[in-house]
Amino acid sequence: MKKIKVSICTGTACFVMGASEIMLLEEELPPELRDMVEIEGVTCLDLCKNAECGKAPFVRINDEILAQATLPSVLEKIRQLADG
């Protein structure tokens, strides 16, 4: 299976709005998902300037953007993708 790529925006707005908690994702992943997920912090996804994208924090999972992301919502999306 292709790895699930998770890009967490660590720009100021996203970091303050909760990306700092989402950066703990690797520690929260269940053992069966750890080898399936690639996690990176990115300086800015440049989405907070566009109101149509939603509100910070932003996380890109593969090619899908999660607005107002939380650690539980990111974990849920990863589980959905892993289950197929």
Side-chain angles (χ1 to χ4, degrees):
M1 179 182 175
K2 186 177 172 185
K3 283 205 173 207
I4 299 168
K5 186 171 183 181
V6 179
S7 302
I8 303 166
C9 182
T10 59
T12 304
C14 286
F15 196 81
V16 169
M17 296 299 289
S20 57
E21 178 187 342
I22 300 168
M23 291 297 292
L24 301 173
L25 176 62
E26 190 169 12
E27 297 170 17
E28 297 295 323
L29 278 173
E32 66 273 11
L33 294 177
R34 288 191 180 145
D35 290 339
M36 301 170 67
V37 179
E38 177 184 327
I39 303 167
E40 68 175 352
V42 293
T43 309
C44 187
L45 291 173
D46 211 26
L47 297 168
C48 53
K49 298 171 186 160
N50 184 347
E52 293 177 15
C53 293
K55 296 182 180 179
F58 295 99
V59 175
R60 182 174 52 223
I61 301 176
N62 291 340
D63 292 324
E64 186 177 333
I65 298 295
L66 244 55
Q68 291 181 292
T70 62
L71 188 53
S73 70
V74 172
L75 283 166
E76 180 181 332
K77 184 64 181 177
I78 290 169
R79 283 190 185 98
Q80 288 173 1
L81 291 170
D83 290 341

